[in-house]
C-alpha cells in the first residue's frame, strides 16, 4: 500500500464529510463573487496549493486530495463563477479573466509566495492562464484532463445541449446522469459514495442561469490554449484520461509537448481523473512536487 493510499484511508475514517474544509469567504473578482475556502498557513516545508474544479462541479471533486494534503499543504479551494457557493458572473468571461480572478483571490488572502495551481478541465485552463499572466507567482501547474484544444469545426451539438441543459434541466436525473456518464468511469458511477452524491446535489441546487452562463463561457466561447502552451515556463504536470471520450489522449499529448518544462501522464480514467483514480492522481502530483520543483530550484541557484 502506498503512502498516499494509507493516508487517504486513515483520513477518510478520521473526517466526516462536513469537516472537509472551513466555510467559504466571498471574494469579489472580475468574474463575480467567488467562494474561497482556505486552510491557512501550514508547515514551511509545505506548499500553497490552489484548487479550481471542472464545469458542472464544485471544489468537492477534490475531496480525496484535500483529505491527504490538509495539514501538510495550505489548500485554497475556489468554486468557479456560477458553481458551488460562488455568485453569478456579471457577464460572459474568458479563461484569461479567470486566471486574473485567481490572482485577485490570492491578493485578497495576502498570499505572496509562488503557488501550485491544480485544475481539472476548466480548472486546468485557469491554471495555464494564471501561469501565463503571473509567471513569478507560479511555482508549478497541474493540468488534469484539460481541454487545451478546440474542434476546428466549432462546438458540437452535444456541447450546445450541455449549455442549454445547464440552464433549463440541470436538476433533472436525465441531465445529471448524462453528465456523470461523460465525466466518470462506469465503475465510479456504480461505486457511488460521497463524491457522487455531492456531484448530483450540486447540479440539483444550482442556479440555472448562472450555471449556463459559466458553462457557455468555458465550453463554447473559450480561446484555445494549445498554441500558447510554450509560454508556460513553470514545471507542469499534464494528466490525461485514457478513457476520456471527449478529449483524445493523442491530441492532448501533442499539445502538451509544447510545454517547456512539462511532464505528460496517462491514467486509465475518464474525464475526471481525480475522482476515478484519486490514489494515482495524488501519487503523481506528490512525486511531481517533490522532484520537479526541487529540480527547478536547484537549477535556479
Amino acid at each position: 500500500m502506498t503512502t498516499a493510499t494509507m493516508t487517504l484511508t486513515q483520513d477518510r475514517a478520521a473526517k466526516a464529510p462536513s469537516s472537509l474544509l472551513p466555510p467559504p469567504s466571498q471574494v469579489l473578482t472580475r468574474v463575480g463573487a467567488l467562494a474561497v475556502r482556505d486552510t491557512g498557513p501550514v508547515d514551511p516545508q509545505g506548499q500553497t496549493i490552489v484548487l479550481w474544479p471542472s464545469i458542472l462541479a464544485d471544489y468537492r471533486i477534490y475531496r480525496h486530495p484535500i483529505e491527504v494534503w490538509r495539514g501538510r499543504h495550505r489548500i485554497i479551494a475556489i468554486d468557479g463563477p456560477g458553481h458551488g457557493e460562488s455568485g453569478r458572473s456579471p457577464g460572459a468571461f474568458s479563461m484569461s479573466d479567470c486566471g486574473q480572478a485567481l490572482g485577485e483571490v490570492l491578493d485578497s488572502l495576502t498570499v505572496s509566495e509562488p503557488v501550485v495551481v491544480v485544475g481539472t478541465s476548466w480548472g486546468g485552463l485557469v491554471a495555464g492562464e494564471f501561469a501565463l499572466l503571473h509567471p513569478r507567482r507560479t511555482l508549478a501547474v497541474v493540468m488534469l484532463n484539460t481541454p487545451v484544444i478546440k474542434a476546428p469545426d466549432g462546438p458540437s451539438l452535444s456541447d450546445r445541449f450541455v449549455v442549454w441543459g445547464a440552464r433549463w434541466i440541470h436538476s433533472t436525473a436525465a441531465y445529471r446522469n448524462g453528465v456523470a456518464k461523460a465525466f466518470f468511469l462506469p465503475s465510479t458511477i456504480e461505486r457511488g459514495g460521497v463524491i457522487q452524491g455531492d456531484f448530483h446535489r450540486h447540479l440539483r441546487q444550482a442556479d440555472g442561469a448562472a450555471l449556463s452562463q459559466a458553462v457557455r463561457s468555458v465550453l463554447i466561447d473559450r480561446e484555445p490554449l494549445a498554441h500558447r502552451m510554450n509560454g508556460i515556463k513553470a514545471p507542469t504536470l499534464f494528466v490525461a484520461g485514457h478513457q476520456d471520450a471527449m478529449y483524445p489522449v493523442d491530441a492532448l499529448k501533442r499539445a502538451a509537448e509544447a510545454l517547456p518544462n512539462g511532464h505528460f501522464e496517462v491514467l486509465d480514467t475518464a474525464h475526471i481523473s481525480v475522482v476515478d483514480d484519486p490514489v494515482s492522481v495524488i501519487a503523481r502530483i506528490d512525486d511531481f512536487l517533490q522532484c520537479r520543483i526541487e529540480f527547478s530550484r536547484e537549477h535556479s541557484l
Side-chain angles (χ1 to χ4, degrees):
M1 182 178 289
T2 66
T3 301
T5 307
M6 293 174 62
T7 307
L8 180 56
T9 302
Q10 293 165 355
D11 285 1
R12 278 179 182 167
K15 292 184 174 68
S18 61
S19 66
L20 186 60
L21 281 179
S25 59
Q26 296 289 321
V27 177
L28 187 60
T29 73
R30 68 191 60 222
V31 297
L34 300 182
V36 178
R37 292 168 171 84
D38 178 18
T39 60
V42 292
D43 189 287
Q45 296 302 312
Q47 308 297 339
T48 297
I49 298 180
V50 183
L51 304 174
W52 190 299
S54 165
I55 59 168
L56 302 172
D58 65 7
Y59 83 100
R60 291 175 292 181
I61 63 168
Y62 294 113
R63 174 174 292 276
H64 297 325
I66 288 169
E67 289 174 344
V68 171
W69 292 336
R70 186 172 183 176
R72 178 156 43 115
H73 300 294
R74 178 179 186 176
I75 299 170
I76 299 171
I78 303 171
D79 285 338
H83 290 68
E85 296 187 56
S86 290
R88 180 176 182 174
S89 173
F93 55 82
S94 67
M95 299 303 94
S96 179
D97 289 333
C98 293
Q100 294 182 65
L102 195 159
E104 291 167 356
V105 168
L106 296 180
D107 290 342
S108 75
L109 300 175
T110 64
V111 174
S112 58
E113 72 275 10
V115 299
V116 178
V117 187
V118 178
T120 293
S121 194
W122 173 18
L125 296 171
V126 178
E129 296 289 353
F130 177 81
L132 289 169
L133 290 163
H134 302 288
R136 293 186 178 180
R137 303 185 76 174
T138 308
L139 184 62
V141 175
V142 178
M143 306 173 82
L144 303 173
N145 313 91
T146 301
V148 296
I149 55 177
K150 287 186 72 174
D153 50 353
S156 66
L157 288 176
S158 62
D159 286 347
R160 294 187 182 279
F161 174 78
V162 170
V163 174
W164 176 86
R167 174 66 178 91
W168 300 108
I169 60 171
H170 59 90
S171 63
T172 66
Y175 185 82
R176 291 184 282 108
N177 290 337
V179 174
K181 288 178 181 178
F183 276 12
F184 310 114
L185 290 174
S187 58
T188 301
I189 297 172
E190 183 178 356
R191 186 167 63 244
V194 174
I195 295 180
Q196 291 295 304
D198 288 341
F199 174 78
H200 285 272
R201 192 175 304 109
H202 172 261
L203 287 178
R204 284 198 304 268
Q205 297 174 349
D207 176 331
L211 186 70
S212 180
Q213 177 177 264
V215 172
R216 179 180 181 86
S217 293
V218 178
L219 201 58
I220 305 292
D221 297 335
R222 74 175 187 275
E223 180 185 358
L225 181 59
H227 68 284
R228 295 178 288 129
M229 298 270 275
N230 61 356
I232 300 174
K233 308 303 183 185
T236 303
L237 173 64
F238 196 117
V239 175
H242 181 67
Q243 299 189 53
D244 187 344
M246 293 184 287
Y247 303 105
V249 168
D250 289 345
L252 295 180
K253 186 175 188 298
R254 286 194 297 272
E257 287 172 352
L259 291 164
N261 197 3
H263 179 67
F264 188 81
E265 292 264 3
V266 180
L267 299 177
D268 191 24
T269 66
H271 188 56
I272 310 294
S273 294
V274 73
V275 174
D276 280 338
D277 189 357
V279 170
S280 293
V281 169
I282 294 165
R284 299 300 195 281
I285 295 175
D286 283 346
D287 288 346
F288 166 71
L289 293 182
Q290 182 176 350
C291 300
R292 289 282 176 150
I293 294 175
E294 289 305 318
F295 178 86
S296 296
R297 283 174 172 167
E298 289 172 5
H299 285 71
S300 66
L301 296 177

